[in-house]
Tab-separated table of all heavy atoms in Angstrom:
chain	number	residue	atom	x	y	z
A	280	PRO	N	-21.457	-10.090	1.330
A	280	PRO	CA	-20.328	-10.422	2.227
A	280	PRO	C	-19.702	-9.220	2.923
A	280	PRO	O	-19.075	-9.385	3.968
A	280	PRO	CB	-19.314	-11.096	1.280
A	280	PRO	CG	-19.745	-10.773	-0.100
A	280	PRO	CD	-21.224	-10.527	-0.049
A	281	TYR	N	-19.894	-8.020	2.410
A	281	TYR	CA	-19.303	-6.829	3.038
A	281	TYR	C	-19.938	-6.517	4.381
A	281	TYR	O	-19.394	-5.768	5.178
A	281	TYR	CB	-19.394	-5.629	2.087
A	281	TYR	CG	-18.523	-5.805	0.866
A	281	TYR	CD1	-19.035	-6.315	-0.333
A	281	TYR	CD2	-17.168	-5.521	0.935
A	281	TYR	CE1	-18.226	-6.528	-1.438
A	281	TYR	CE2	-16.342	-5.724	-0.169
A	281	TYR	CZ	-16.871	-6.227	-1.348
A	281	TYR	OH	-16.074	-6.430	-2.427
A	282	ALA	N	-21.113	-7.114	4.649
A	282	ALA	CA	-21.754	-6.914	5.956
A	282	ALA	C	-20.907	-7.495	7.089
A	282	ALA	O	-21.090	-7.146	8.256
A	282	ALA	CB	-23.148	-7.557	5.945
A	283	ARG	N	-19.957	-8.370	6.757
A	283	ARG	CA	-19.092	-8.961	7.796
A	283	ARG	C	-17.906	-8.058	8.173
A	283	ARG	O	-17.125	-8.395	9.066
A	283	ARG	CB	-18.522	-10.317	7.319
A	283	ARG	CG	-19.564	-11.343	6.930
A	283	ARG	CD	-20.616	-11.624	8.008
A	283	ARG	NE	-20.081	-12.032	9.323
A	283	ARG	CZ	-19.756	-13.287	9.649
A	283	ARG	NH1	-19.893	-14.261	8.777
A	283	ARG	NH2	-19.299	-13.556	10.856
A	284	THR	N	-17.729	-6.951	7.487
A	284	THR	CA	-16.533	-6.109	7.670
A	284	THR	C	-16.244	-5.786	9.141
A	284	THR	O	-15.108	-5.936	9.585
A	284	THR	CB	-16.693	-4.806	6.858
A	284	THR	OG1	-16.783	-5.142	5.465
A	284	THR	CG2	-15.513	-3.873	7.069
A	285	GLY	N	-17.260	-5.376	9.895
A	285	GLY	CA	-17.048	-4.998	11.289
A	285	GLY	C	-16.523	-6.159	12.135
A	285	GLY	O	-15.590	-6.006	12.928
A	286	ASP	N	-17.113	-7.352	11.933
A	286	ASP	CA	-16.674	-8.544	12.670
A	286	ASP	C	-15.230	-8.893	12.316
A	286	ASP	O	-14.450	-9.292	13.176
A	286	ASP	CB	-17.569	-9.747	12.330
A	286	ASP	CG	-18.979	-9.573	12.875
A	286	ASP	OD1	-19.152	-8.787	13.825
A	286	ASP	OD2	-19.897	-10.217	12.331
A	287	ILE	N	-14.919	-8.779	11.048
A	287	ILE	CA	-13.556	-9.118	10.587
A	287	ILE	C	-12.547	-8.166	11.223
A	287	ILE	O	-11.495	-8.569	11.739
A	287	ILE	CB	-13.479	-9.068	9.038
A	287	ILE	CG1	-14.392	-10.121	8.411
A	287	ILE	CG2	-12.028	-9.250	8.577
A	287	ILE	CD1	-14.622	-9.942	6.910
A	288	LEU	N	-12.887	-6.882	11.207
A	288	LEU	CA	-11.998	-5.874	11.785
A	288	LEU	C	-11.755	-6.126	13.276
A	288	LEU	O	-10.629	-6.026	13.762
A	288	LEU	CB	-12.653	-4.502	11.584
A	288	LEU	CG	-11.709	-3.378	11.262
A	288	LEU	CD1	-11.483	-3.281	9.774
A	288	LEU	CD2	-12.280	-2.071	11.766
A	289	THR	N	-12.825	-6.495	13.971
A	289	THR	CA	-12.707	-6.767	15.411
A	289	THR	C	-11.856	-8.010	15.654
A	289	THR	O	-10.954	-8.005	16.498
A	289	THR	CB	-14.118	-6.964	16.013
A	289	THR	OG1	-14.940	-5.871	15.594
A	289	THR	CG2	-14.071	-7.003	17.518
A	290	THR	N	-12.117	-9.062	14.891
A	290	THR	CA	-11.360	-10.304	15.066
A	290	THR	C	-9.878	-10.096	14.762
A	290	THR	O	-9.006	-10.498	15.527
A	290	THR	CB	-11.933	-11.411	14.140
A	290	THR	OG1	-13.282	-11.640	14.507
A	290	THR	CG2	-11.140	-12.696	14.251
A	291	LEU	N	-9.600	-9.437	13.644
A	291	LEU	CA	-8.186	-9.252	13.267
A	291	LEU	C	-7.473	-8.325	14.239
A	291	LEU	O	-6.286	-8.531	14.531
A	291	LEU	CB	-8.067	-8.730	11.834
A	291	LEU	CG	-8.492	-9.710	10.725
A	291	LEU	CD1	-8.132	-9.153	9.354
A	291	LEU	CD2	-7.887	-11.105	10.906
A	292	SER	N	-8.156	-7.321	14.765
A	292	SER	CA	-7.450	-6.430	15.689
A	292	SER	C	-7.106	-7.167	16.981
A	292	SER	O	-6.151	-6.811	17.663
A	292	SER	CB	-8.246	-5.148	15.942
A	292	SER	OG	-9.385	-5.438	16.691
A	293	GLY	N	-7.865	-8.228	17.323
A	293	GLY	CA	-7.497	-9.076	18.452
A	293	GLY	C	-6.125	-9.712	18.248
A	293	GLY	O	-5.337	-9.819	19.193
A	294	TRP	N	-5.814	-10.080	17.033
A	294	TRP	CA	-4.521	-10.684	16.729
A	294	TRP	C	-3.435	-9.640	16.442
A	294	TRP	O	-2.277	-9.811	16.822
A	294	TRP	CB	-4.636	-11.598	15.496
A	294	TRP	CG	-5.238	-12.921	15.787
A	294	TRP	CD1	-6.528	-13.325	15.514
A	294	TRP	CD2	-4.613	-14.036	16.437
A	294	TRP	NE1	-6.729	-14.616	15.937
A	294	TRP	CE2	-5.570	-15.083	16.500
A	294	TRP	CE3	-3.326	-14.271	16.966
A	294	TRP	CZ2	-5.272	-16.336	17.068
A	294	TRP	CZ3	-3.052	-15.509	17.523
A	294	TRP	CH2	-4.015	-16.516	17.582
A	295	PHE	N	-3.799	-8.588	15.722
A	295	PHE	CA	-2.791	-7.659	15.180
A	295	PHE	C	-2.568	-6.418	16.044
A	295	PHE	O	-1.587	-5.711	15.855
A	295	PHE	CB	-3.181	-7.199	13.763
A	295	PHE	CG	-3.339	-8.310	12.767
A	295	PHE	CD1	-4.138	-8.139	11.630
A	295	PHE	CD2	-2.674	-9.530	12.927
A	295	PHE	CE1	-4.276	-9.164	10.684
A	295	PHE	CE2	-2.811	-10.555	11.991
A	295	PHE	CZ	-3.610	-10.364	10.866
A	296	GLY	N	-3.515	-6.123	16.949
A	296	GLY	CA	-3.421	-4.892	17.712
A	296	GLY	C	-4.371	-3.857	17.128
A	296	GLY	O	-5.077	-4.117	16.158
A	297	PRO	N	-4.422	-2.650	17.730
A	297	PRO	CA	-5.392	-1.630	17.322
A	297	PRO	C	-5.353	-1.378	15.810
A	297	PRO	O	-4.271	-1.298	15.225
A	297	PRO	CB	-4.939	-0.383	18.072
A	297	PRO	CG	-4.079	-0.870	19.184
A	297	PRO	CD	-3.523	-2.182	18.787
A	298	TYR	N	-6.535	-1.262	15.224
A	298	TYR	CA	-6.636	-0.913	13.800
A	298	TYR	C	-5.994	0.463	13.591
A	298	TYR	O	-6.237	1.398	14.371
A	298	TYR	CB	-8.121	-0.909	13.397
A	298	TYR	CG	-8.380	-0.429	11.992
A	298	TYR	CD1	-8.019	-1.211	10.899
A	298	TYR	CD2	-8.978	0.802	11.759
A	298	TYR	CE1	-8.256	-0.774	9.601
A	298	TYR	CE2	-9.229	1.243	10.476
A	298	TYR	CZ	-8.861	0.461	9.394
A	298	TYR	OH	-9.087	0.911	8.115
A	299	PRO	N	-5.135	0.620	12.560
A	299	PRO	CA	-4.313	1.836	12.475
A	299	PRO	C	-5.025	3.124	12.029
A	299	PRO	O	-4.419	4.187	12.052
A	299	PRO	CB	-3.247	1.468	11.426
A	299	PRO	CG	-3.464	0.036	11.056
A	299	PRO	CD	-4.783	-0.386	11.563
A	300	PHE	N	-6.306	3.031	11.602
A	300	PHE	CA	-6.995	4.216	11.069
A	300	PHE	C	-8.342	4.406	11.783
A	300	PHE	O	-8.749	3.568	12.565
A	300	PHE	CB	-7.238	4.049	9.558
A	300	PHE	CG	-6.000	3.663	8.783
A	300	PHE	CD1	-5.766	2.333	8.432
A	300	PHE	CD2	-5.059	4.616	8.427
A	300	PHE	CE1	-4.614	1.967	7.727
A	300	PHE	CE2	-3.910	4.272	7.719
A	300	PHE	CZ	-3.687	2.941	7.373
A	301	GLY	N	-9.008	5.504	11.497
A	301	GLY	CA	-10.295	5.782	12.141
A	301	GLY	C	-11.491	5.352	11.330
A	301	GLY	O	-12.629	5.452	11.786
A	302	THR	N	-11.239	4.874	10.116
A	302	THR	CA	-12.354	4.519	9.247
A	302	THR	C	-11.959	3.361	8.345
A	302	THR	O	-10.763	3.117	8.122
A	302	THR	CB	-12.801	5.761	8.428
A	302	THR	OG1	-13.979	5.456	7.710
A	302	THR	CG2	-11.728	6.200	7.441
A	303	TYR	N	-12.946	2.633	7.848
A	303	TYR	CA	-12.678	1.574	6.870
A	303	TYR	C	-13.907	1.329	6.006
A	303	TYR	O	-15.034	1.624	6.404
A	303	TYR	CB	-12.253	0.254	7.544
A	303	TYR	CG	-11.838	-0.776	6.507
A	303	TYR	CD1	-10.652	-0.620	5.804
A	303	TYR	CD2	-12.678	-1.835	6.142
A	303	TYR	CE1	-10.284	-1.497	4.800
A	303	TYR	CE2	-12.325	-2.728	5.153
A	303	TYR	CZ	-11.125	-2.562	4.475
A	303	TYR	OH	-10.780	-3.416	3.472
A	304	GLY	N	-13.661	0.776	4.828
A	304	GLY	CA	-14.744	0.365	3.944
A	304	GLY	C	-14.171	-0.131	2.640
A	304	GLY	O	-12.944	-0.177	2.465
A	305	SER	N	-15.047	-0.531	1.750
A	305	SER	CA	-14.622	-0.999	0.431
A	305	SER	C	-15.309	-0.178	-0.626
A	305	SER	O	-16.454	0.247	-0.446
A	305	SER	CB	-15.010	-2.471	0.237
A	305	SER	OG	-14.312	-3.288	1.146
A	306	VAL	N	-14.611	0.068	-1.733
A	306	VAL	CA	-15.270	0.610	-2.904
A	306	VAL	C	-15.230	-0.483	-3.971
A	306	VAL	O	-14.174	-0.992	-4.315
A	306	VAL	CB	-14.653	1.964	-3.368
A	306	VAL	CG1	-13.179	1.864	-3.723
A	306	VAL	CG2	-15.453	2.516	-4.560
A	307	VAL	N	-16.429	-0.904	-4.398
A	307	VAL	CA	-16.513	-1.987	-5.368
A	307	VAL	C	-16.405	-1.404	-6.771
A	307	VAL	O	-16.968	-0.344	-7.077
A	307	VAL	CB	-17.819	-2.780	-5.179
A	307	VAL	CG1	-18.043	-3.776	-6.309
A	307	VAL	CG2	-17.776	-3.515	-3.833
A	308	VAL	N	-15.587	-2.065	-7.617
A	308	VAL	CA	-15.369	-1.605	-8.990
A	308	VAL	C	-15.672	-2.758	-9.942
A	308	VAL	O	-15.557	-3.938	-9.574
A	308	VAL	CB	-13.927	-1.081	-9.185
A	308	VAL	CG1	-13.665	0.129	-8.285
A	308	VAL	CG2	-12.891	-2.170	-8.932
A	309	THR	N	-16.050	-2.428	-11.168
A	309	THR	CA	-16.532	-3.466	-12.087
A	309	THR	C	-15.436	-4.161	-12.925
A	309	THR	O	-15.614	-5.320	-13.261
A	309	THR	CB	-17.621	-2.891	-13.029
A	309	THR	OG1	-17.107	-1.694	-13.630
A	309	THR	CG2	-18.874	-2.551	-12.232
A	310	PRO	N	-14.303	-3.514	-13.259
A	310	PRO	CA	-13.319	-4.227	-14.079
A	310	PRO	C	-12.694	-5.421	-13.362
A	310	PRO	O	-12.681	-5.488	-12.130
A	310	PRO	CB	-12.242	-3.162	-14.356
A	310	PRO	CG	-12.931	-1.861	-14.171
A	310	PRO	CD	-13.917	-2.099	-13.082
A	311	ASP	N	-12.196	-6.344	-14.160
A	311	ASP	CA	-11.620	-7.568	-13.641
A	311	ASP	C	-10.142	-7.369	-13.326
A	311	ASP	O	-9.281	-7.579	-14.159
A	311	ASP	CB	-11.799	-8.668	-14.695
A	311	ASP	CG	-11.568	-10.027	-14.095
A	311	ASP	OD1	-11.511	-10.131	-12.861
A	311	ASP	OD2	-11.444	-10.994	-14.865
A	312	LEU	N	-9.880	-6.911	-12.110
A	312	LEU	CA	-8.506	-6.662	-11.636
A	312	LEU	C	-8.329	-7.451	-10.335
A	312	LEU	O	-9.297	-7.938	-9.797
A	312	LEU	CB	-8.334	-5.165	-11.326
A	312	LEU	CG	-8.190	-4.191	-12.480
A	312	LEU	CD1	-8.435	-2.772	-12.004
A	312	LEU	CD2	-6.795	-4.319	-13.095
A	313	PRO	N	-7.096	-7.522	-9.804
A	313	PRO	CA	-6.968	-8.043	-8.439
A	313	PRO	C	-7.595	-7.046	-7.464
A	313	PRO	O	-7.826	-5.887	-7.824
A	313	PRO	CB	-5.450	-8.112	-8.220
A	313	PRO	CG	-4.820	-7.920	-9.554
A	313	PRO	CD	-5.794	-7.172	-10.402
A	314	ALA	N	-7.875	-7.492	-6.249
A	314	ALA	CA	-8.306	-6.570	-5.211
A	314	ALA	C	-7.093	-5.810	-4.717
A	314	ALA	O	-5.959	-6.288	-4.836
A	314	ALA	CB	-8.962	-7.322	-4.062
A	315	LEU	N	-7.296	-4.599	-4.181
A	315	LEU	CA	-6.175	-3.822	-3.684
A	315	LEU	C	-6.534	-3.149	-2.362
A	315	LEU	O	-7.601	-2.557	-2.232
A	315	LEU	CB	-5.723	-2.793	-4.719
A	315	LEU	CG	-4.474	-1.989	-4.346
A	315	LEU	CD1	-3.261	-2.893	-4.191
A	315	LEU	CD2	-4.186	-0.910	-5.390
Side-chain angles (χ1 to χ4, degrees):
Y281 293 95
R283 303 306 305 275
T284 298
D286 291 338
I287 296 167
L288 218 88
T289 310
T290 299
L291 292 188
S292 70
W294 282 103
F295 301 156
Y298 174 71
F300 309 98
T302 187
Y303 186 71
S305 295
V306 59
V307 171
V308 298
T309 52
D311 195 12
L312 284 164
L315 185 62

